[in-house]
């Protein structure tokens, strides 16, 4: 089932052309990876999906219905949860307050014991054991914070989960942990958009790969049609890389002409 | 799926959940010092005086602390108190109305000032420091200008003989004796506002939003928190409390000096910071603001009882502020950096 679909979407920031003609479909129970270098427009793409920005061109449809989202609230109400690269959580607030932020229990008065208990349970169900949900979420490591944010989206019944470079600032081990929870979210039936500039991370979990380059689509492949090597080469920019190696003037020693 | 243990226990967490801890220790220390050096400090009359001084700061420190936790300042809070008192007095006097009419109009004006601050903030996107510096200057000028225009002098006419004055005086400016201790009405208002403010902050959905908009407004917005509405409500809270304190000033002195209130906004902020509020928002406590106000009251009166030179009061307060601000920012850095990083 197609949860959401972007068709030929474009976006300008004033004179900056951030996106042009980008298409993407998100299926339930599948992980769709978006790969690209810094400044390729990955964050812009998910901010459109999440309702933080609006697209200037093209079509954005959720469950087949064309939409123009005016705020993140509207995206959340349609079951789209986003974990941002830079603003996933409020660091000084306790874990349980962050977990329920914007979806608190109780219309006015909070049901605090239940909120604490549910936070603990929801994290445990994702395999995250946190003895103390009262600590400031900022005291958790980056990977741990991402995991809490993912557990949160799963708990609140999101249909689609958008993750902006969840592994960018993490070490190898922590990246593995986060990718495991991304897979757990997929197994729970969510459609996932995973943004990354690491083809190895993408290939570990992805079902579909979309490549962005300077705001345009540079490739779109189902997993069956591309190998990790091909993905890595495409990501590294194939011909660009050869050019770079020439500019740096360091050729393979075997090929170095005799002097 | 294997299970990951995420936490390493650290003493910081315990401190974190108690932002007012530093203020509590400081308040106990100040109390102990003046109990020893000033023999009259522990008399019930002195305690009543100290609590009164603390309450006139504390009533405003509650909403100012909530606003600071929500990430904003209000430099107009001090003169807004005077505006509320002047409005009430002049409306009642000019219309020869029951004083309640003046007080209700004043409530509308005070809430209007809060709404204006909140609206300007969300509309312009300017820092609240600048926006409320603007409203501070405008109110300072309007207080003097309108009063001179209406009464011909810089103070209002006495409304002590007007209808309704007695009941208004009872509500805002009377005193009650409990167990030999005479307490002004403001002390009860203060106590009530601290309990209410603390309950809202820690036990309600709106309180969760206050922490969130101050801690990281963009993150809060991204999960659906109405950031602008939350901040505007906090400014309305400042307006309401300015009204309460303004009515106290009017009904206890019958007349109002139109130049009063300038500089008090900083004292409210000092009380909130000493009470553990982070200047950058997202962290703090209402009970802490009450302890800050109490330290202010004990020091300002205790110095007199101890027959010290009162000039040192401001010096002491400034030193307390710096210490508190350093402590708060240390806590914040620890909380954001996390363990082992
Ligand atoms: N708010 C903004 N205003 C202006 N330009 C922006 C803004 N956000 C991003 N850009 C520009 O749009 C392009 C794409 O940025 P972004 O989507 O953040 O890329 P990525 O996440 O792939 O690194 C970049 O050139 C960036 O400078
Ligand atoms: Mg980005």
């Amino acid at each position: 089932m197609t949860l959401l679909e972007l068709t030929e979407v474009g976006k300008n920031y004033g004179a900056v052309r951030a996106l042009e003609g980008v298409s993407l479909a998100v299926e339930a129970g599948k992980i769709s990876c978006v790969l690209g270098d810094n400044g390729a427009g990955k964050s812009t793409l998910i901010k459109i999906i999440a309702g933080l920005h609006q697209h200037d061109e093209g079509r954005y449809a959720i469950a087949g219905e064309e939409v123009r989202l005016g705020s993140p609230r509207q995206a959340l109400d349609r079951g789209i949860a986003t974990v941002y690269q830079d603003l996933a959580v409020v660091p000084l607030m306790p874990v349980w307050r962050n977990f329920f932020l914007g979806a608190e229990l109780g219309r006015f008065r909070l049901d605090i014991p239940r909120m604490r208990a549910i936070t603990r349970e929801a994290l445990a169900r994702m395999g995250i054991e946190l003895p103390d949900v009262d600590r400031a979420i900022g005291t958790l490591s980056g990977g741990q914070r991402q995991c809490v944010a993912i557990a949160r989206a799963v708990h609140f019944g999101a249909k689609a989960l958008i993750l902006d470079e969840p592994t960018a600032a993490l070490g190898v081990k922590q990246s593995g942990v986060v990718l495991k929870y991304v897979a757990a979210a997929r197994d729970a039936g969510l459609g996932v958009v995973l943004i990354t500039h690491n083809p190895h991370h993408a290939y570990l979990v992805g079902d579909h790969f979309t490549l962005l380059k300077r705001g345009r689509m540079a490739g779109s492949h189902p997993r069956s049609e591309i190998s990790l090597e091909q993905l890595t080469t495409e990501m590294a920019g194939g011909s660009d890389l050869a050019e770079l190696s020439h500019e740096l003037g360091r050729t393979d020693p075997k090929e170095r002409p005799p002097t | 799926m294997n299970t990951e243990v995420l936490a390493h226990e650290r003493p910081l967490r315990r401190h974190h959940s108690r932002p007012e801890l530093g203020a509590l220790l400081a308040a106990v220390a100040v109390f102990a010092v003046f109990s020893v050096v000033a023999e009259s400090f522990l008399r019930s009359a002195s305690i009543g005086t100290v609590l009164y001084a603390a309450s006139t700061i504390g009533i405003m420190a509650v909403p100012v602390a909530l606003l600071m936790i929500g990430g904003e300042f209000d430099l107009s809070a001090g003169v807004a108190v005077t505006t509320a008192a002047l409005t009430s007095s002049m409306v009642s006097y000019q219309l020869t109305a029951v004083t309640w009419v003046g007080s209700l109009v004043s409530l509308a004006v005070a809430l209007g000032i809060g709404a204006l601050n909140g609206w300007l903030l969300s509309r312009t996107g300017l820092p609240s420091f600048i926006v409320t510096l603007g409203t501070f200057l405008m109110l300072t000028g309007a207080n003097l200008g309108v009063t001179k225009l209406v009464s011909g002098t810089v103070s209002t006419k006495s409304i002590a003989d007007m209808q309704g004055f007695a009941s208004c005086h009872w509500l805002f400016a009377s005193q009650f004796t409990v167990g030999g201790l005479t307490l002004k009405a403001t002390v009860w208002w203060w106590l009530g506002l601290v309990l209410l403010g603390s309950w809202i902050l820690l036990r309600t959905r709106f309180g969760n939003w206050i922490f969130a908009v101050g801690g990281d407004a963009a993150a809060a917005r991204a999960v659906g928190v109405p950031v602008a509405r939350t901040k505007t409500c906090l400014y309305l809270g400042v307006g309401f409390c300015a009204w309460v304190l303004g009515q106290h000033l009017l009904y206890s002195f019958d007349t109002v000096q139109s130049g009063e209130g300038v500089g008090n906004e900083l004292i409210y902020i000092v009380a909130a910071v000493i009470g553990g509020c982070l200047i950058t928002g997202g962290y703090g406590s209402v009970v802490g603001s009450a302890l800050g106000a109490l330290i202010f009251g004990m020091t300002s009166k205790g110095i007199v009882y101890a027959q010290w030179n009162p000039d040192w009061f401001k010096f002491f307060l400034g030193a307390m502020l710096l210490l508190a601000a350093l402590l708060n920012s240390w806590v914040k850095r620890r909380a954001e950096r996390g363990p082992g990083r």
Side-chain angles (χ1 to χ4, degrees), chain B residues 152-322:
Chain B
T153 64
V154 291
S155 65
T156 61
K157 305 266 191 329
S158 169
I159 58 160
D161 52 359
M162 295 189 64
Q163 228 187 336
F165 185 87
S167 55
C168 286
H169 181 273
W170 177 84
L171 183 60
F172 293 108
S174 55
Q175 48 193 26
F176 304 84
T177 304
V178 182
L181 190 63
T182 301
L183 297 177
K184 293 258 193 185
T186 48
V187 178
W188 301 109
W189 276 101
W190 179 35
L191 189 68
L193 286 167
V194 168
L195 292 176
L196 180 68
S198 200
W199 182 77
I200 288 176
L201 182 64
L202 298 174
R203 296 271 179 270
T204 69
R205 170 205 284 255
F206 183 69
N208 214 35
W209 293 354
I210 298 175
F211 279 120
V213 300
D216 189 335
R221 190 171 110 80
V223 293
V225 174
V227 175
R229 187 145 54 87
T230 302
K231 291 189 173 181
T232 302
C233 285
L234 291 173
Y235 278 105
L236 289 177
V238 177
F240 176 79
C241 292
W243 174 72
V244 171
L245 190 57
Q247 302 316 292
H248 166 74
L249 295 181
L250 171 62
Y251 293 113
S252 60
F253 303 108
D254 313 342
T255 64
V256 187
Q257 301 294 325
S258 56
E260 270 178 19
V262 178
N264 286 353
E265 65 282 347
L266 296 180
I267 295 177
Y268 308 146
I269 291 172
V270 169
V273 172
I274 289 179
C277 289
L278 206 58
I279 307 210
T280 46
Y283 183 78
S285 126
V286 173
V287 171
S289 81
L291 290 167
L294 194 61
I295 290 172
F296 180 91
M298 286 194 292
T299 315
S300 63
K301 299 300 166 193
I303 281 181
V304 177
Y305 295 133
Q307 296 175 326
W308 291 349
N309 183 346
D311 297 343
W312 288 100
F313 169 63
K314 288 256 166 73
F315 179 89
F316 168 81
L317 208 64
M320 282 286 300
L321 174 69
L322 283 179

Side-chain angles (χ1 to χ4, degrees), chain A residues 37-39 41-44 47 85 164-165 195:
Chain A
D37 225 337
N38 283 335
K42 306 184 296 296
S43 295
T44 304
K47 280 176 180 164
Q85 183 176 15
D164 192 5
E165 305 215 24
I195 312 268

Side-chain angles (χ1 to χ4, degrees), chain B residues 64 67 72-78 117 128 132 135 235 238 265 269:
Chain B
V64 167
L67 185 66
E72 305 296 343
F73 288 106
D74 189 353
L75 295 180
S76 69
N117 278 329
S128 58
T132 62
T135 48
Y235 278 105
V238 177
E265 65 282 347
I269 291 172

Side-chain angles (χ1 to χ4, degrees), chain A residues 4 49-51 60 62-63 65 67 69-82 101-104 152-153 156-160, chain B residues 205 221-226 229:
Chain A
L4 54 89
I49 298 177
Y60 175 13
I62 300 177
E65 181 202 346
V67 292
L69 301 179
S71 76
R73 182 82 259 168
Q74 292 176 10
L76 286 163
D77 291 344
R78 288 176 159 83
I80 299 171
T82 310
L101 186 57
E104 290 86 355
R152 180 180 196 282
F156 286 107
K159 298 194 195 85
Chain B
R205 170 205 284 255
R221 190 171 110 80
V223 293
V225 174
R229 187 145 54 87

Side-chain angles (χ1 to χ4, degrees), chain A residues 72-73 76 84 87 92-93 97 104 106-108 110 112 126-130 132 135 138-140 144 180, chain B residues 1-4 6-8 13 16 199 202-205 208-209 212 218-219 222-224 335-336 338-339 341:
Chain A
R73 182 82 259 168
L76 286 163
Y84 296 92
L87 40 87
L92 285 166
M93 282 170 82
R97 282 188 182 272
E104 290 86 355
R107 280 185 63 84
F108 188 74
L110 298 179
I112 293 175
M126 292 287 292
I128 307 167
E129 204 67 47
L130 197 66
D132 181 9
R135 43 190 294 161
T139 63
L140 303 183
Q144 293 166 339
K180 215 174 65 193
Chain B
M1 194 183 300
N2 71 332
T3 287
E4 182 102 358
L6 290 181
H8 330 260
R13 188 196 67 76
H16 174 82
W199 182 77
L202 298 174
R203 296 271 179 270
T204 69
R205 170 205 284 255
N208 214 35
W209 293 354
V223 293
E336 284 189 341
R341 267 195 301 154

Side-chain angles (χ1 to χ4, degrees), chain B residues 30-41 302-303 305-308:
Chain B
V30 169
F31 179 81
V33 167
F34 285 116
S35 305
V36 172
V37 300
E39 51 178 314
S40 57
F41 189 72
I303 281 181
Y305 295 133
Q307 296 175 326
W308 291 349

